[in-house]
Amino acid sequence: LNIYIAGAGSMGCRFGYQLTKANNTVTLLDEWEEHITAIQSKGLSITGDQEDNIDIPIMKPEEADQSADLIILFTKAMQLPSMLQNIEHIMNEDTKVLCLLNGLGHLEEIQKYVPRENILMGVTIWTAQIESPGKVKLSGQGGINLQSVEKTGETFGKDLINIFNEANLNAEYDQDVWPSIWRKVCVNGTMNSTCALMDANISEVFSSSHGYNLVEKLISEFVQVAAKENVHLDADEMYDYVVSASKKVGEHYPSMHQDLIQNKRLTEIDYINGAIVKIAQKYDVETPYCEMMTELIHLKEDILL
Ligand code: NAD
């Protein structure tokens, strides 16, 4: 299988590394010059749970010239439209495309380029972090849930599970992946945006009753809008999940904090709280808390960037 990873930041490098180690043919596609040059000249360096360095091809999307059997999308959400445009030339009528980005609205974007029977959607709780160009920190364990968008794609979806599991990526074929995708969006839309705005870690947010109140209001909007899209999220269960996660990873600064506060980069807010606002409008549902979070994050982006 000729595999391309489109978007080779932290997560693209994790998947690229593990799949290459399991003897798959993987090429990374990226736009970040310094990162490309570092990997081309010194290989991809891995740190964290283990130290390693591998040779792996990396290039700009427009330089790719082999037809793809599988493309794994791992851009940030706002980079997805331009990435899809730039990889159109390596897709043929059988090319399968897997999306593991956080957030909502990606299927609509991918469908502009890829027939639905070739698309797989999923969610992953693996993590990764770029330390410097060409160097990625991998620690902890994770997993992947995925499903083909159309039933006809199921056979390939299950083959892909085997490929991922041979690479120790701990994947599972999900007969209904959307609740898992929404759950993660809900976690991100409560903890990530709040920690970024407050410049706080998770336990600091939960050191105040106002943190609990805010999380509860946000969750109730996610649950309401999910229900309109026929996705069942249970508000109490979501709330308990977020609160219990805060006890386990309290010291953690979520990725939106890393992006905005630490690295002064744009956030994926429009695909998380912002997506809820947009979907809610279709159903005349009010989502004032998500709307406010989206405005405040964009305001902070404008102030800092
Ligand atoms: P990332 O920001 O590390 O990389 C995304 C893109 O941005 C890549 O093309 C990368 O080269 C580029 N980039 C990164 N740092 C840059 C810099 N300093 N200057 C210029 N370009 C830079 O994104 P990611 O963490 O790999 O996330 C990809 C998707 O996966 C997102 O939707 C994210 O929400 C999701 N996700 C991330 C994690 C995680 O732990 N990182 C976990 C689960 C899901």
Side-chain angles (χ1 to χ4, degrees), residues 11-212:
M11 291 299 280
C13 285
R14 174 188 270 287
F15 276 60
Y17 171 69
Q18 290 190 231
L19 288 167
T20 300
K21 286 296 248 189
N23 292 321
N24 295 286
T25 307
V26 183
T27 303
L28 305 177
L29 302 177
D30 208 68
E31 299 283 359
W32 183 14
E33 298 275 359
E34 265 182 284
H35 189 54
I36 296 176
T37 313
I39 295 175
Q40 283 173 343
S41 60
K42 294 182 291 186
L44 170 63
S45 294
I46 302 299
T47 182
D49 289 349
Q50 82 248 47
E51 302 285 318
D52 202 355
N53 181 282
I54 59 161
D55 280 329
I56 184 168
I58 181 165
M59 60 191 75
K60 295 228 168 177
E62 50 275 26
E63 290 163 356
D65 59 2
Q66 305 288 315
S67 196
D69 297 314
L70 169 66
I71 299 174
I72 303 173
L73 299 169
F74 254 138
T75 60
K76 279 282 168 65
M78 49 286 186
Q79 303 161 330
L80 184 62
S82 68
M83 178 58 87
L84 285 165
Q85 249 172 39
N86 294 342
I87 57 176
E88 205 178 358
H89 68 282
I90 54 169
M91 295 187 207
N92 60 55
E93 59 182 28
D94 294 321
T95 303
K96 306 292 188 288
V97 175
L98 168 66
C99 175
L100 293 174
L101 273 63
N102 282 336
L104 294 169
H106 310 318
L107 177 57
E108 290 72 13
E109 198 58 41
I110 298 166
Q111 271 175 192
K112 296 180 189 164
Y113 298 87
V114 186
R116 281 173 66 88
E117 58 269 24
N118 288 344
I119 306 175
L120 302 112
M121 298 299 293
V123 60
T124 178
I125 53 167
W126 284 104
T127 62
Q129 212 176 329
I130 299 245
E131 289 238 314
S132 56
K135 187 168 186 184
V136 180
K137 185 172 177 189
L138 307 182
S139 53
Q141 289 297 307
I144 306 165
N145 279 46
L146 65 86
Q147 184 187 22
S148 60
V149 169
E150 297 291 339
K151 194 81 182 155
T152 47
E154 193 168 317
T155 311
F156 179 80
K158 290 184 173 162
D159 292 345
L160 188 51
I161 298 294
N162 292 331
I163 294 171
F164 280 156
N165 285 338
E166 278 164 26
N168 297 319
L169 280 162
N170 196 16
E172 209 178 294
Y173 193 83
D174 200 324
Q175 290 300 338
D176 183 14
V177 81
W178 287 103
S180 306
I181 292 175
W182 276 76
R183 266 176 83 84
K184 187 146 193 223
V185 173
C186 181
V187 173
N188 289 338
T190 51
M191 294 323 305
N192 287 29
S193 31
T194 307
C195 288
L197 281 173
M198 293 301 107
D199 190 3
N201 66 24
I202 297 177
S203 62
E204 286 169 324
V205 167
F206 284 107
S207 67
S208 157
S209 61
H210 299 290
Y212 285 91

Side-chain angles (χ1 to χ4, degrees), residues 233-250:
L233 292 182
D234 183 285
D236 292 337
E237 193 266 334
M238 250 350 288
Y239 182 80
D240 290 345
Y241 177 80
V242 170
V243 172
S244 76
S246 77
K247 307 236 156 69
K248 287 181 219 142
V249 289

